[in-house]
Amino acid sequence: MTRTDLADTDPQDTPTLGVAMIGYAFMGRAHSHGWRNARSFFSPPALPRLTVVAGRNEVGALDTARRFGWESVETDWREVLRRDDVQIVDVCTPGNTHAEIAIAALEAGKHVLCEKPLANSVAEAEAMAAAAEKAAANGVRSMVGFTYRRVPAIAYARQLVAEGALGQLRHVRAQYLQDWLVDETVPLSWRLDKDLAGSGALGDIGAHIIDLVQFITGEHLTGVSALTETFVKERPTGASSSGLTASSDDSGELGPVTVDDAAIFLSRLTGGALATFEATRFATGRKNAIRIEINGSTGSLAFDFEDMNVLHVLTGEDLSAGFTRVLVTEPGHPYIAAWWPAGHILGYEHGFTHQAVDFLTDIANGTDPRPSFSDGLQVQRVLAAVEASAAANAAWTPIG
Ligand code: SOE
């Protein structure tokens, strides 16, 4: 009989990288899930070790650490930059801390994965992109956490467009529809505070559809004409919250909402296609509906995250045939072979595993991850243009 104790039996020829996750709430849980499953279903050329969770609230950080098997907790993120057992810093905090943490981590020689949007301003994003470019010269890698790029149906959509299946792109329609703020008694949280979040629906969910459109089409937005609105301008003051599940402090006091509740904007892509975007937290009945439709000269595609394993595709000779419903779960579809047989569908959390695997692979291979901080800077420029246009009665605002 043979007994093998698995502890520290990782293949010696596969490097193990210590991960320090800064933040522990909603994104902390999603990222923890991704790091844990990276090695369970994929064989990345570098393995993650869940070394430390850092959070100012030790109770919250310890809860996430215990639930997901992190090895230690720090209450000061600066401490993890000094640790030799940390090679990756994963920034899962609100946007007002992204620049400080990510730049310090890059300068400390740590690879950095930073949640979206990259920053709360173009200036911060420019500084982060410059730090990332400097660090890359020394083999230090960085990535922005636009995980929806790693939904198999989205990655498949990009393949179809890149292969020319849709021909010349004419129209892009992109929506990100949520309704968690329709209830006016939902209290204030960090996502409703411009100083912490940078913007509201625009940066939180609008950033995702900007990145997705640029990812799928391979083109950039050249300018925007925009409107934003804050429908509910005051809310009950909230207790500590992760922003989506805030609880009122029952004081009866009201505080100002300092961000947008919704943003809509028109654009033109570098290839000439006309594009419309809508990001709102007031689409009553829509929970997390990311909807992308692209119409081209020889075909179309349509996606809805609330049916995330399906891509509706129209290509080929007979455009009168209507859309085909493709269940994107075949072994040949992006990421699927590592999971289950055809038809055993994936969920929201799988994108975080794909993100972890791709980041580990790029680090091990010495290649630059995408989306890069430069990609994140491009999205930040679009966000800033939307806000500038909305402040100027929807005036057309070019994007640098
Ligand atoms: C809240 O709108 C939120 O959690 C976003 O912050 C995430 O980026 C998105 O993936 C889900 O919704």
Side-chain angles (χ1 to χ4, degrees), residues 225-228 262-266 277-279 386:
S225 170
L227 296 174
T228 60
I264 59 175
F265 48 104
L266 308 173
F277 295 80
E278 182 181 3
V386 167

Side-chain angles (χ1 to χ4, degrees), residues 294-376:
I294 301 178
N295 307 134
S297 57
T298 60
S300 292
L301 61 81
F303 171 82
D304 183 343
F305 184 77
E306 290 186 355
D307 188 14
M308 65 171 278
N309 291 275
V310 171
L311 185 69
H312 297 276
V313 180
L314 170 58
T315 59
E317 297 304 317
D318 180 6
L319 296 183
S320 67
F323 284 80
T324 299
R325 179 182 181 273
V326 178
L327 189 60
V328 186
T329 61
E330 296 297 322
H333 287 141
Y335 302 105
I336 294 296
W339 294 103
W340 319 119
H344 295 62
I345 57 179
L346 303 189
Y348 169 71
E349 74 280 11
H350 291 81
F352 291 89
T353 298
H354 302 161
Q355 173 174 264
V357 169
D358 289 348
F359 194 41
L360 291 163
T361 302
D362 280 322
I363 291 170
N365 295 344
T367 47
D368 286 324
R370 300 297 296 274
S372 64
F373 277 20
S374 177
D375 294 322

Side-chain angles (χ1 to χ4, degrees), residues 41-394:
F41 290 88
F42 294 80
S43 301
L47 299 173
R49 181 167 184 163
L50 280 62
T51 303
V52 53
V53 178
R56 287 171 303 180
N57 178 321
E58 186 175 34
V59 172
L62 279 169
D63 181 55
T64 293
R66 289 189 178 110
R67 289 174 181 273
F68 289 94
W70 290 86
E71 295 175 0
S72 63
V73 165
E74 293 273 5
T75 55
D76 180 355
W77 63 266
R78 293 168 186 81
E79 288 302 315
V80 309
L81 304 192
R82 290 189 267 270
R83 292 179 55 160
D84 294 334
D85 60 348
V86 168
Q87 288 75 44
I88 293 174
V89 171
D90 183 10
V91 184
C92 294
T93 55
N96 65 311
T97 59
H98 287 185
E100 181 184 15
I101 297 173
I103 292 172
L106 288 165
E107 291 175 347
K110 312 297 187 184
H111 307 291
V112 176
L113 170 59
C114 183
E115 258 300 322
K116 43 52 62 182
L118 183 62
N120 281 5
S121 70
V122 170
E124 286 179 347
E126 286 173 338
M128 295 169 81
E133 186 175 351
K134 184 177 179 183
N138 299 319
V140 176
R141 306 296 165 196
S142 48
M143 180 197 271
V144 188
F146 286 112
T147 50
Y148 290 122
R149 288 181 170 213
R150 296 180 159 88
V151 171
I154 292 288
Y156 180 52
R158 174 183 169 87
Q159 287 176 2
L160 289 174
V161 172
E163 290 162 7
L166 274 57
Q168 177 67 36
L169 304 186
R170 305 284 195 226
H171 285 284
V172 174
R173 268 166 234 99
Q175 298 173 317
Y176 198 148
L177 310 176
Q178 295 179 340
D179 70 356
W180 60 282
L181 285 180
V182 168
D183 177 353
E184 302 190 11
T185 66
V186 171
L188 293 173
S189 60
W190 70 265
R191 279 185 168 84
L192 305 181
D193 180 340
K194 187 172 183 62
D195 292 338
L196 300 179
S199 62
L202 175 61
D204 184 27
I205 52 180
H208 277 300
I209 51 177
I210 294 165
D211 177 68
L212 283 178
V213 166
Q214 297 188 138
F215 172 66
I216 294 170
T217 63
E219 300 180 15
H220 280 164
L221 280 68
T222 60
V224 293
S225 170
L227 296 174
T228 60
E229 184 55 72
T230 304
F231 298 113
V232 176
K233 303 191 187 318
E234 288 191 322
R235 290 182 176 271
T237 51
S240 61
S241 73
S242 69
L244 285 173
T245 55
S247 54
S248 168
D249 59 12
D250 296 330
S251 66
E253 292 180 19
L254 295 177
V257 174
T258 55
V259 297
D260 57 278
D261 287 327
I264 59 175
F265 48 104
L266 308 173
S267 187
R268 189 188 301 273
L269 301 188
T270 40
L274 299 181
T276 59
F277 295 80
E278 182 181 3
T280 180
R281 293 159 164 169
F282 278 72
T284 312
R286 300 300 180 195
K287 301 308 173 181
N288 203 49
I290 304 171
R291 298 172 168 181
I292 309 274
E293 178 162 333
I294 301 178
N295 307 134
S297 57
T298 60
S300 292
L301 61 81
F303 171 82
D304 183 343
F305 184 77
E306 290 186 355
D307 188 14
M308 65 171 278
N309 291 275
V310 171
L311 185 69
H312 297 276
V313 180
L314 170 58
T315 59
E317 297 304 317
D318 180 6
L319 296 183
S320 67
F323 284 80
T324 299
R325 179 182 181 273
V326 178
L327 189 60
V328 186
T329 61
E330 296 297 322
H333 287 141
Y335 302 105
I336 294 296
W339 294 103
W340 319 119
H344 295 62
I345 57 179
L346 303 189
Y348 169 71
E349 74 280 11
H350 291 81
F352 291 89
T353 298
H354 302 161
Q355 173 174 264
V357 169
D358 289 348
F359 194 41
L360 291 163
T361 302
D362 280 322
I363 291 170
N365 295 344
T367 47
D368 286 324
R370 300 297 296 274
S372 64
F373 277 20
S374 177
D375 294 322
L377 170 58
Q378 159 65 15
V379 172
Q380 211 73 41
R381 289 193 169 118
V382 176
L383 299 177
V386 167
E387 291 190 312
S389 174
N393 295 318

